[in-house]
Amino acid sequence: MAESSVGARQVGRRGTIVCAALVVAPESSIFTPQELAHQRVALDYGNGTAYAGLQMLEGAMPREAVMTCSAATSPAERFAGLMRGDFAATVLQEPWITVAEKAGCRLVSTTFFHGTWVATRDVSPAAYGALLRALTRAVHRINADKRRYVSYFIRDWAGHPEVDALTADDFNLGRIQVKEPGPIPEDEARWAWDWMVSWGLIEGAFDVTAQIDRRLERDAHELATAGRHRAA
Amino acid sequence: MTLTLTIERVMAFMGLDVLVARDEGLFAEEGLDLRIAALPSDEMRSAVEGSPAKPVTNQGKLQARGESQMFQA
């Protein structure tokens, strides 16, 4: 993302790593991502899951064989469209990956990606540092007992019968990954930017100072680390 | 002194750590009054309205109008 009108820039990686899966319907003849060549794949453009979906396709075929269509932001709607046969595949995240598997759908590819925090200029290192300390403690608690926390994925979609029917034991814990939030590696930020430019999704040259507020990122992470050491 | 911060709504798939920290009182223990702001449902738009080159996203909308300080991208 470019610097916004309110001076917002990225300030670090999130703690929760997203799992995204390319999913086909139960009766589909497709078993591998290569078999999605020239098939309509529904992606929620503008969201990380869409770009993860595009990267999974790109890794399996020439770009000219990638055929996508715009899909709803809601994974519930994408799952419903898949089951109706509106498209050959779509990209899903949890808990809808688990819903899809339970419905007999197949995962033909999965991947993981970091997201980032974006902050305005008025966020203080002290406040962001406090946020990071709390999130780091939460990451440790989740990693100590992931099964205990999968109810959060169900709670987000309460009222959807497919999700309400899930139990904690239905979830593949390998798809739930959290890590202490940290700074954004510049090379990875550049790769992501250049990749989006290569698809015509954004324009211009990568400028790390426009993308990442390194001072806030550094100061907050230093405060968070110092605070953890004092508490230890 | 209590610090305050307003972030945009997160869901478990990309913000499980945020939800757990909130519910288990970890922000308060770190001296942070964390507020989570949600975009009104009638203002939410679906990605299906967009295209690869002109995507539609709800992320950052509250921040753009000064109602949150942080969001997840």
Side-chain angles (χ1 to χ4, degrees):
Chain A
M1 60 161 283
E3 187 171 9
S4 75
S5 58
V6 289
R9 286 181 288 174
Q10 296 174 83
V11 292
R13 276 179 167 170
R14 311 191 294 229
T16 301
I17 295 164
V18 178
C19 178
L22 284 175
V23 183
V24 298
E27 70 281 6
S28 172
S29 61
I30 292 165
F31 283 76
T32 69
Q34 286 82 2
E35 291 171 326
L36 286 170
H38 305 293
Q39 302 288 321
R40 269 161 50 95
V41 179
L43 300 179
D44 53 327
Y45 276 106
N47 297 290
T49 40
Y51 304 121
L54 195 54
Q55 289 178 339
M56 287 188 277
L57 293 169
E58 179 184 45
M61 64 190 76
R63 285 192 174 191
E64 58 270 23
V66 174
M67 197 168 90
T68 67
C69 59
S70 294
T73 305
S74 165
E77 292 182 43
R78 298 201 300 277
F79 171 69
L82 180 72
M83 297 301 275
R84 281 194 307 267
D86 294 351
F87 30 75
T90 192
V91 65
L92 294 175
Q93 65 267 38
E94 291 294 3
W96 291 93
I97 300 173
T98 299
V99 166
E101 281 191 313
K102 209 168 177 182
C105 297
R106 281 194 304 281
L107 313 188
V108 297
S109 184
T110 57
T111 191
F112 294 85
F113 65 90
H114 286 286
T116 60
W117 282 106
V118 177
T120 52
R121 292 180 193 278
D122 65 339
V123 172
S124 70
Y128 183 33
L131 179 88
L132 291 170
R133 283 195 303 276
L135 296 179
T136 297
R137 292 173 63 193
V139 163
H140 293 164
R141 292 187 183 191
I142 296 163
N143 277 329
D145 187 0
K146 285 184 186 175
R147 191 75 67 192
R148 176 180 167 204
Y149 292 104
V150 295
S151 61
Y152 279 85
F153 292 86
I154 299 172
R155 208 181 304 174
D156 274 345
W157 295 93
H160 289 257
E162 309 96 321
V163 177
D164 290 339
L166 297 179
T167 69
D169 288 337
D170 289 324
F171 285 81
N172 177 339
L173 299 184
R175 294 200 290 256
I176 297 169
Q177 298 294 339
V178 292
K179 180 184 176 186
E180 292 184 6
I184 302 165
E186 185 171 330
D187 53 359
E188 292 187 25
R190 182 183 297 106
W191 295 339
W193 180 275
D194 291 345
W195 178 82
M196 293 186 76
V197 168
S198 76
W199 276 94
L201 305 174
I202 53 175
E203 293 178 343
F206 178 73
D207 176 357
V208 68
T209 60
Q211 294 298 313
I212 304 172
D213 183 342
R214 286 297 195 203
R215 189 169 67 176
L216 175 56
E217 182 185 62
R218 181 192 62 239
D219 291 352
H221 280 87
E222 285 178 0
L223 283 172
T225 302
R228 282 203 300 276
H229 288 161
R230 277 199 305 273
Chain B
M1 185 186 76
T2 300
L3 302 159
T4 62
L5 200 55
T6 303
I7 66 168
E8 295 190 8
R9 178 178 177 242
V10 301
M11 300 182 78
F13 83 93
M14 44 52 149
L16 178 61
D17 52 334
V18 177
L19 300 176
V20 170
R22 178 197 63 188
D23 291 352
E24 299 194 359
L26 302 181
F27 294 122
E29 288 180 17
E30 296 295 343
L32 180 65
D33 176 12
L34 186 83
R35 300 165 186 181
I36 300 179
L39 191 67
S41 57
D42 61 346
E43 293 184 38
M44 294 188 73
R45 292 179 61 199
S46 175
V48 77
E49 301 171 45
S51 66
K54 289 189 176 176
V56 168
T57 179
N58 297 306
Q59 294 164 318
K61 278 188 180 174
L62 290 175
Q63 189 182 56
R65 63 193 199 206
E67 294 177 21
S68 80
Q69 295 161 288
M70 294 184 72
F71 71 94
Q72 294 194 332

